[in-house]
Amino acid sequence: MMKLLLPFSITPDLEALSEEDWALQPDLKVDTSFTPLDWNSFDESALEMSLKLSDNGASGSFCFHRCALTVGGMPSDRFLKTLAALKFDELVRIDPGDADLRFRPEVVARVIADFAQAQAHPDFILMGRQTQVGDNACTPLLTAELLGWPCVTQVTALELADKHRLRVTGAVDGGTAVQTVSAPCVLSIGDAPCTYLRVPTLKDKMAYGKKPITLLRLSDFPGAEALLSGSNAELRSLVPIRKEREGVLIEADTPEEKAEILYRDYLKGRLNRL
């Protein structure tokens, strides 16, 4: 049996916010309580890739033990129940209380590493490379450093090589690389294609969806609490990043005229330079 630990995060749908909604509160947070929640896309890929390991015909008789872990409030339970219906073996939520972990990847990494060492004892940790909130892209690397494990980044596909190793495909400069990785190892999942998390059937929701969730608190991780109380960079302001693009409205009487203007004034010169 191969044990997989899958830390994941739930994020608000920031695309649903209008410009007026980006109003900072006194604690330098943006109110996203009214936006829908969703899987962090990279973590979603990690969760689905763990399920696809079992789908592979070569590993059909091999057993994987999946432990899903999230650091978040009660709204995360709905997502853990979905994973229960998808037959994940363990479901764990660590309640951060009032702690603001948006820009504290070292605290989240400490929690994951301590949980892995003390309770989960995984062969591999699969986690998304970054989240929308915070967007630091260093939690997998910090987790691996704390554990003293290697870390493979930009992972896009996984296969079972043998009972102790995975065949890992990852993006590298100018192409992809395939390597066989031995346990233990942290795998940071990147832009993996076609890895939307599958939807459990109604039958599986009824049969497995009520699996109990283990609830822990940040106080159960003294190392993480010590980091929170220590000195850190002070958050003084948040400024939105403008990604506006110049737009031009082509005015003409017919679609044919608009197409001619588009080609003559905007495309022809670029095509000639190719």
PDB file of all heavy atoms in Angstrom, residues 72-101:
ATOM      1  N   GLY A  72      -8.578  25.270   7.310  1.00  0.00           N
ATOM      2  CA  GLY A  72      -9.646  26.200   6.984  1.00  0.00           C
ATOM      3  C   GLY A  72     -10.808  26.084   7.943  1.00  0.00           C
ATOM      4  O   GLY A  72     -10.818  25.235   8.845  1.00  0.00           O
ATOM      5  N   GLY A  73     -11.808  26.931   7.727  1.00  0.00           N
ATOM      6  CA  GLY A  73     -12.983  26.946   8.588  1.00  0.00           C
ATOM      7  C   GLY A  73     -14.027  25.927   8.178  1.00  0.00           C
ATOM      8  O   GLY A  73     -13.801  25.078   7.302  1.00  0.00           O
ATOM      9  N   MET A  74     -15.205  26.052   8.800  1.00  0.00           N
ATOM     10  CA  MET A  74     -16.272  25.072   8.575  1.00  0.00           C
ATOM     11  C   MET A  74     -16.710  24.935   7.115  1.00  0.00           C
ATOM     12  O   MET A  74     -17.111  23.847   6.697  1.00  0.00           O
ATOM     13  CB  MET A  74     -17.484  25.408   9.453  1.00  0.00           C
ATOM     14  CG  MET A  74     -17.310  25.023  10.914  1.00  0.00           C
ATOM     15  SD  MET A  74     -18.820  25.221  11.845  1.00  0.00           S
ATOM     16  CE  MET A  74     -19.865  23.994  11.064  1.00  0.00           C
ATOM     17  N   PRO A  75     -16.690  26.016   6.312  1.00  0.00           N
ATOM     18  CA  PRO A  75     -17.103  25.839   4.904  1.00  0.00           C
ATOM     19  C   PRO A  75     -16.299  24.768   4.166  1.00  0.00           C
ATOM     20  O   PRO A  75     -16.768  24.230   3.160  1.00  0.00           O
ATOM     21  CB  PRO A  75     -16.855  27.228   4.303  1.00  0.00           C
ATOM     22  CG  PRO A  75     -17.023  28.166   5.458  1.00  0.00           C
ATOM     23  CD  PRO A  75     -16.450  27.444   6.633  1.00  0.00           C
ATOM     24  N   SER A  76     -15.117  24.460   4.660  1.00  0.00           N
ATOM     25  CA  SER A  76     -14.294  23.431   4.001  1.00  0.00           C
ATOM     26  C   SER A  76     -14.892  22.039   4.167  1.00  0.00           C
ATOM     27  O   SER A  76     -14.564  21.127   3.393  1.00  0.00           O
ATOM     28  CB  SER A  76     -12.875  23.447   4.578  1.00  0.00           C
ATOM     29  OG  SER A  76     -12.265  24.695   4.393  1.00  0.00           O
ATOM     30  N   ASP A  77     -15.750  21.870   5.167  1.00  0.00           N
ATOM     31  CA  ASP A  77     -16.315  20.531   5.416  1.00  0.00           C
ATOM     32  C   ASP A  77     -17.119  20.025   4.219  1.00  0.00           C
ATOM     33  O   ASP A  77     -17.133  18.821   3.930  1.00  0.00           O
ATOM     34  CB  ASP A  77     -17.205  20.559   6.659  1.00  0.00           C
ATOM     35  CG  ASP A  77     -16.391  20.640   7.947  1.00  0.00           C
ATOM     36  OD1 ASP A  77     -15.150  20.582   7.862  1.00  0.00           O
ATOM     37  OD2 ASP A  77     -17.006  20.763   9.028  1.00  0.00           O
ATOM     38  N   ARG A  78     -17.780  20.956   3.526  1.00  0.00           N
ATOM     39  CA  ARG A  78     -18.566  20.540   2.354  1.00  0.00           C
ATOM     40  C   ARG A  78     -17.666  19.892   1.298  1.00  0.00           C
ATOM     41  O   ARG A  78     -18.047  18.921   0.652  1.00  0.00           O
ATOM     42  CB  ARG A  78     -19.295  21.760   1.780  1.00  0.00           C
ATOM     43  CG  ARG A  78     -20.043  21.504   0.489  1.00  0.00           C
ATOM     44  CD  ARG A  78     -20.997  22.655   0.199  1.00  0.00           C
ATOM     45  NE  ARG A  78     -20.305  23.933   0.098  1.00  0.00           N
ATOM     46  CZ  ARG A  78     -19.812  24.423  -1.047  1.00  0.00           C
ATOM     47  NH1 ARG A  78     -19.925  23.709  -2.162  1.00  0.00           N
ATOM     48  NH2 ARG A  78     -19.224  25.607  -1.076  1.00  0.00           N
ATOM     49  N   PHE A  79     -16.485  20.407   1.155  1.00  0.00           N
ATOM     50  CA  PHE A  79     -15.559  19.866   0.165  1.00  0.00           C
ATOM     51  C   PHE A  79     -14.955  18.544   0.655  1.00  0.00           C
ATOM     52  O   PHE A  79     -14.716  17.631  -0.127  1.00  0.00           O
ATOM     53  CB  PHE A  79     -14.465  20.896  -0.130  1.00  0.00           C
ATOM     54  CG  PHE A  79     -14.986  22.144  -0.785  1.00  0.00           C
ATOM     55  CD1 PHE A  79     -15.515  23.175  -0.025  1.00  0.00           C
ATOM     56  CD2 PHE A  79     -14.987  22.272  -2.164  1.00  0.00           C
ATOM     57  CE1 PHE A  79     -16.015  24.325  -0.627  1.00  0.00           C
ATOM     58  CE2 PHE A  79     -15.490  23.407  -2.775  1.00  0.00           C
ATOM     59  CZ  PHE A  79     -16.009  24.438  -2.000  1.00  0.00           C
ATOM     60  N   LEU A  80     -14.731  18.457   1.958  1.00  0.00           N
ATOM     61  CA  LEU A  80     -14.225  17.193   2.510  1.00  0.00           C
ATOM     62  C   LEU A  80     -15.259  16.079   2.331  1.00  0.00           C
ATOM     63  O   LEU A  80     -14.897  14.922   2.087  1.00  0.00           O
ATOM     64  CB  LEU A  80     -13.886  17.372   3.990  1.00  0.00           C
ATOM     65  CG  LEU A  80     -12.590  18.157   4.273  1.00  0.00           C
ATOM     66  CD1 LEU A  80     -12.523  18.579   5.730  1.00  0.00           C
ATOM     67  CD2 LEU A  80     -11.361  17.317   3.917  1.00  0.00           C
ATOM     68  N   LYS A  81     -16.541  16.424   2.438  1.00  0.00           N
ATOM     69  CA  LYS A  81     -17.576  15.400   2.240  1.00  0.00           C
ATOM     70  C   LYS A  81     -17.598  14.913   0.786  1.00  0.00           C
ATOM     71  O   LYS A  81     -17.889  13.749   0.517  1.00  0.00           O
ATOM     72  CB  LYS A  81     -18.939  15.964   2.638  1.00  0.00           C
ATOM     73  CG  LYS A  81     -19.078  16.153   4.142  1.00  0.00           C
ATOM     74  CD  LYS A  81     -20.424  16.771   4.514  1.00  0.00           C
ATOM     75  CE  LYS A  81     -20.520  16.951   6.032  1.00  0.00           C
ATOM     76  NZ  LYS A  81     -21.785  17.596   6.433  1.00  0.00           N
ATOM     77  N   THR A  82     -17.294  15.816  -0.135  1.00  0.00           N
ATOM     78  CA  THR A  82     -17.179  15.390  -1.536  1.00  0.00           C
ATOM     79  C   THR A  82     -16.054  14.373  -1.688  1.00  0.00           C
ATOM     80  O   THR A  82     -16.194  13.356  -2.382  1.00  0.00           O
ATOM     81  CB  THR A  82     -16.918  16.601  -2.442  1.00  0.00           C
ATOM     82  OG1 THR A  82     -18.030  17.486  -2.373  1.00  0.00           O
ATOM     83  CG2 THR A  82     -16.697  16.170  -3.891  1.00  0.00           C
ATOM     84  N   LEU A  83     -14.930  14.638  -1.020  1.00  0.00           N
ATOM     85  CA  LEU A  83     -13.809  13.698  -1.091  1.00  0.00           C
ATOM     86  C   LEU A  83     -14.161  12.385  -0.399  1.00  0.00           C
ATOM     87  O   LEU A  83     -13.715  11.316  -0.823  1.00  0.00           O
ATOM     88  CB  LEU A  83     -12.568  14.328  -0.456  1.00  0.00           C
ATOM     89  CG  LEU A  83     -12.040  15.575  -1.156  1.00  0.00           C
ATOM     90  CD1 LEU A  83     -10.829  16.132  -0.420  1.00  0.00           C
ATOM     91  CD2 LEU A  83     -11.674  15.271  -2.606  1.00  0.00           C
ATOM     92  N   ALA A  84     -14.965  12.471   0.654  1.00  0.00           N
ATOM     93  CA  ALA A  84     -15.420  11.234   1.298  1.00  0.00           C
ATOM     94  C   ALA A  84     -16.220  10.387   0.316  1.00  0.00           C
ATOM     95  O   ALA A  84     -16.041   9.160   0.231  1.00  0.00           O
ATOM     96  CB  ALA A  84     -16.264  11.564   2.525  1.00  0.00           C
ATOM     97  N   ALA A  85     -17.100  11.046  -0.446  1.00  0.00           N
ATOM     98  CA  ALA A  85     -17.902  10.321  -1.435  1.00  0.00           C
ATOM     99  C   ALA A  85     -17.036   9.752  -2.556  1.00  0.00           C
ATOM    100  O   ALA A  85     -17.421   8.785  -3.215  1.00  0.00           O
ATOM    101  CB  ALA A  85     -18.963  11.250  -2.017  1.00  0.00           C
ATOM    102  N   LEU A  86     -15.861  10.361  -2.765  1.00  0.00           N
ATOM    103  CA  LEU A  86     -14.926   9.839  -3.771  1.00  0.00           C
ATOM    104  C   LEU A  86     -13.995   8.786  -3.159  1.00  0.00           C
ATOM    105  O   LEU A  86     -12.993   8.412  -3.770  1.00  0.00           O
ATOM    106  CB  LEU A  86     -14.108  10.992  -4.364  1.00  0.00           C
ATOM    107  CG  LEU A  86     -14.896  11.954  -5.264  1.00  0.00           C
ATOM    108  CD1 LEU A  86     -14.051  13.167  -5.640  1.00  0.00           C
ATOM    109  CD2 LEU A  86     -15.376  11.240  -6.522  1.00  0.00           C
ATOM    110  N   LYS A  87     -14.320   8.375  -1.953  1.00  0.00           N
ATOM    111  CA  LYS A  87     -13.660   7.247  -1.283  1.00  0.00           C
ATOM    112  C   LYS A  87     -12.236   7.569  -0.816  1.00  0.00           C
ATOM    113  O   LYS A  87     -11.363   6.697  -0.807  1.00  0.00           O
ATOM    114  CB  LYS A  87     -13.666   5.994  -2.167  1.00  0.00           C
ATOM    115  CG  LYS A  87     -15.068   5.582  -2.608  1.00  0.00           C
ATOM    116  CD  LYS A  87     -15.041   4.379  -3.521  1.00  0.00           C
ATOM    117  CE  LYS A  87     -16.417   4.070  -4.064  1.00  0.00           C
ATOM    118  NZ  LYS A  87     -16.440   2.940  -4.993  1.00  0.00           N
ATOM    119  N   PHE A  88     -12.009   8.831  -0.446  1.00  0.00           N
ATOM    120  CA  PHE A  88     -10.764   9.135   0.244  1.00  0.00           C
ATOM    121  C   PHE A  88     -10.831   8.473   1.618  1.00  0.00           C
ATOM    122  O   PHE A  88     -11.882   8.412   2.254  1.00  0.00           O
ATOM    123  CB  PHE A  88     -10.570  10.650   0.368  1.00  0.00           C
ATOM    124  CG  PHE A  88      -9.975  11.279  -0.862  1.00  0.00           C
ATOM    125  CD1 PHE A  88     -10.655  11.276  -2.076  1.00  0.00           C
ATOM    126  CD2 PHE A  88      -8.731  11.872  -0.821  1.00  0.00           C
ATOM    127  CE1 PHE A  88     -10.103  11.845  -3.209  1.00  0.00           C
ATOM    128  CE2 PHE A  88      -8.170  12.444  -1.944  1.00  0.00           C
ATOM    129  CZ  PHE A  88      -8.853  12.434  -3.152  1.00  0.00           C
ATOM    130  N   ASP A  89      -9.690   7.998   2.098  1.00  0.00           N
ATOM    131  CA  ASP A  89      -9.692   7.184   3.305  1.00  0.00           C
ATOM    132  C   ASP A  89      -9.738   8.010   4.588  1.00  0.00           C
ATOM    133  O   ASP A  89     -10.341   7.592   5.575  1.00  0.00           O
ATOM    134  CB  ASP A  89      -8.432   6.299   3.316  1.00  0.00           C
ATOM    135  CG  ASP A  89      -8.377   5.391   2.108  1.00  0.00           C
ATOM    136  OD1 ASP A  89      -9.079   4.371   2.114  1.00  0.00           O
ATOM    137  OD2 ASP A  89      -7.663   5.727   1.141  1.00  0.00           O
ATOM    138  N   GLU A  90      -9.064   9.145   4.613  1.00  0.00           N
ATOM    139  CA  GLU A  90      -9.044  10.000   5.802  1.00  0.00           C
ATOM    140  C   GLU A  90      -9.341  11.432   5.406  1.00  0.00           C
ATOM    141  O   GLU A  90      -8.897  11.901   4.346  1.00  0.00           O
ATOM    142  CB  GLU A  90      -7.679   9.956   6.501  1.00  0.00           C
ATOM    143  CG  GLU A  90      -7.370   8.668   7.223  1.00  0.00           C
ATOM    144  CD  GLU A  90      -6.055   8.785   7.985  1.00  0.00           C
ATOM    145  OE1 GLU A  90      -5.955   9.645   8.886  1.00  0.00           O
ATOM    146  OE2 GLU A  90      -5.122   8.034   7.672  1.00  0.00           O
ATOM    147  N   LEU A  91     -10.074  12.128   6.269  1.00  0.00           N
ATOM    148  CA  LEU A  91     -10.456  13.514   6.012  1.00  0.00           C
ATOM    149  C   LEU A  91     -10.118  14.326   7.260  1.00  0.00           C
ATOM    150  O   LEU A  91     -10.626  14.036   8.348  1.00  0.00           O
ATOM    151  CB  LEU A  91     -11.950  13.601   5.717  1.00  0.00           C
ATOM    152  CG  LEU A  91     -12.448  12.613   4.658  1.00  0.00           C
ATOM    153  CD1 LEU A  91     -13.932  12.396   4.772  1.00  0.00           C
ATOM    154  CD2 LEU A  91     -12.069  13.092   3.274  1.00  0.00           C
ATOM    155  N   VAL A  92      -9.273  15.307   7.094  1.00  0.00           N
ATOM    156  CA  VAL A  92      -8.787  16.065   8.250  1.00  0.00           C
ATOM    157  C   VAL A  92      -8.911  17.554   7.957  1.00  0.00           C
ATOM    158  O   VAL A  92      -8.502  18.031   6.897  1.00  0.00           O
ATOM    159  CB  VAL A  92      -7.312  15.722   8.563  1.00  0.00           C
ATOM    160  CG1 VAL A  92      -6.838  16.497   9.799  1.00  0.00           C
ATOM    161  CG2 VAL A  92      -7.142  14.220   8.773  1.00  0.00           C
ATOM    162  N   ARG A  93      -9.485  18.268   8.911  1.00  0.00           N
ATOM    163  CA  ARG A  93      -9.524  19.740   8.812  1.00  0.00           C
ATOM    164  C   ARG A  93      -8.847  20.330  10.041  1.00  0.00           C
ATOM    165  O   ARG A  93      -9.133  19.928  11.170  1.00  0.00           O
ATOM    166  CB  ARG A  93     -10.967  20.260   8.721  1.00  0.00           C
ATOM    167  CG  ARG A  93     -11.024  21.790   8.695  1.00  0.00           C
ATOM    168  CD  ARG A  93     -12.412  22.286   8.301  1.00  0.00           C
ATOM    169  NE  ARG A  93     -13.435  22.027   9.295  1.00  0.00           N
ATOM    170  CZ  ARG A  93     -13.684  22.828  10.346  1.00  0.00           C
ATOM    171  NH1 ARG A  93     -12.947  23.917  10.533  1.00  0.00           N
ATOM    172  NH2 ARG A  93     -14.653  22.545  11.196  1.00  0.00           N
ATOM    173  N   ILE A  94      -7.958  21.272   9.798  1.00  0.00           N
ATOM    174  CA  ILE A  94      -7.284  21.977  10.875  1.00  0.00           C
ATOM    175  C   ILE A  94      -7.842  23.388  10.920  1.00  0.00           C
ATOM    176  O   ILE A  94      -7.691  24.159   9.967  1.00  0.00           O
ATOM    177  CB  ILE A  94      -5.755  21.986  10.658  1.00  0.00           C
ATOM    178  CG1 ILE A  94      -5.238  20.541  10.645  1.00  0.00           C
ATOM    179  CG2 ILE A  94      -5.062  22.797  11.744  1.00  0.00           C
ATOM    180  CD1 ILE A  94      -3.792  20.420  10.244  1.00  0.00           C
ATOM    181  N   ASP A  95      -8.523  23.700  12.011  1.00  0.00           N
ATOM    182  CA  ASP A  95      -9.166  25.006  12.147  1.00  0.00           C
ATOM    183  C   ASP A  95      -8.133  26.043  12.577  1.00  0.00           C
ATOM    184  O   ASP A  95      -7.547  25.922  13.657  1.00  0.00           O
ATOM    185  CB  ASP A  95     -10.294  24.905  13.181  1.00  0.00           C
ATOM    186  CG  ASP A  95     -11.185  26.128  13.167  1.00  0.00           C
ATOM    187  OD1 ASP A  95     -10.716  27.191  12.710  1.00  0.00           O
ATOM    188  OD2 ASP A  95     -12.351  26.025  13.583  1.00  0.00           O
ATOM    189  N   PRO A  96      -7.901  27.088  11.765  1.00  0.00           N
ATOM    190  CA  PRO A  96      -6.904  28.099  12.146  1.00  0.00           C
ATOM    191  C   PRO A  96      -7.429  29.125  13.130  1.00  0.00           C
ATOM    192  O   PRO A  96      -6.677  30.006  13.562  1.00  0.00           O
ATOM    193  CB  PRO A  96      -6.571  28.748  10.804  1.00  0.00           C
ATOM    194  CG  PRO A  96      -7.844  28.650  10.032  1.00  0.00           C
ATOM    195  CD  PRO A  96      -8.491  27.356  10.449  1.00  0.00           C
ATOM    196  N   GLY A  97      -8.730  29.052  13.470  1.00  0.00           N
ATOM    197  CA  GLY A  97      -9.290  30.061  14.367  1.00  0.00           C
ATOM    198  C   GLY A  97      -9.244  31.441  13.731  1.00  0.00           C
ATOM    199  O   GLY A  97      -9.625  31.604  12.570  1.00  0.00           O
ATOM    200  N   ASP A  98      -8.762  32.401  14.486  1.00  0.00           N
ATOM    201  CA  ASP A  98      -8.694  33.780  13.981  1.00  0.00           C
ATOM    202  C   ASP A  98      -7.380  34.094  13.284  1.00  0.00           C
ATOM    203  O   ASP A  98      -7.155  35.243  12.868  1.00  0.00           O
ATOM    204  CB  ASP A  98      -8.884  34.756  15.155  1.00  0.00           C
ATOM    205  CG  ASP A  98     -10.263  34.632  15.780  1.00  0.00           C
ATOM    206  OD1 ASP A  98     -11.213  34.287  15.044  1.00  0.00           O
ATOM    207  OD2 ASP A  98     -10.380  34.862  16.997  1.00  0.00           O
ATOM    208  N   ALA A  99      -6.511  33.128  13.174  1.00  0.00           N
ATOM    209  CA  ALA A  99      -5.197  33.383  12.572  1.00  0.00           C
ATOM    210  C   ALA A  99      -5.340  33.722  11.084  1.00  0.00           C
ATOM    211  O   ALA A  99      -6.083  33.058  10.354  1.00  0.00           O
ATOM    212  CB  ALA A  99      -4.297  32.175  12.760  1.00  0.00           C
ATOM    213  N   ASP A 100      -4.638  34.730  10.646  1.00  0.00           N
ATOM    214  CA  ASP A 100      -4.620  35.132   9.243  1.00  0.00           C
ATOM    215  C   ASP A 100      -3.408  34.475   8.575  1.00  0.00           C
ATOM    216  O   ASP A 100      -2.272  34.888   8.803  1.00  0.00           O
ATOM    217  CB  ASP A 100      -4.533  36.656   9.136  1.00  0.00           C
ATOM    218  CG  ASP A 100      -4.566  37.129   7.686  1.00  0.00           C
ATOM    219  OD1 ASP A 100      -4.695  36.272   6.783  1.00  0.00           O
ATOM    220  OD2 ASP A 100      -4.456  38.351   7.453  1.00  0.00           O
ATOM    221  N   LEU A 101      -3.663  33.458   7.772  1.00  0.00           N
ATOM    222  CA  LEU A 101      -2.571  32.688   7.163  1.00  0.00           C
ATOM    223  C   LEU A 101      -2.372  33.015   5.689  1.00  0.00           C
ATOM    224  O   LEU A 101      -1.683  32.285   4.980  1.00  0.00           O
ATOM    225  CB  LEU A 101      -2.848  31.183   7.330  1.00  0.00           C
ATOM    226  CG  LEU A 101      -3.023  30.678   8.764  1.00  0.00           C
ATOM    227  CD1 LEU A 101      -3.273  29.178   8.777  1.00  0.00           C
ATOM    228  CD2 LEU A 101      -1.806  31.020   9.613  1.00  0.00           C
TER     229      LEU A 101
END
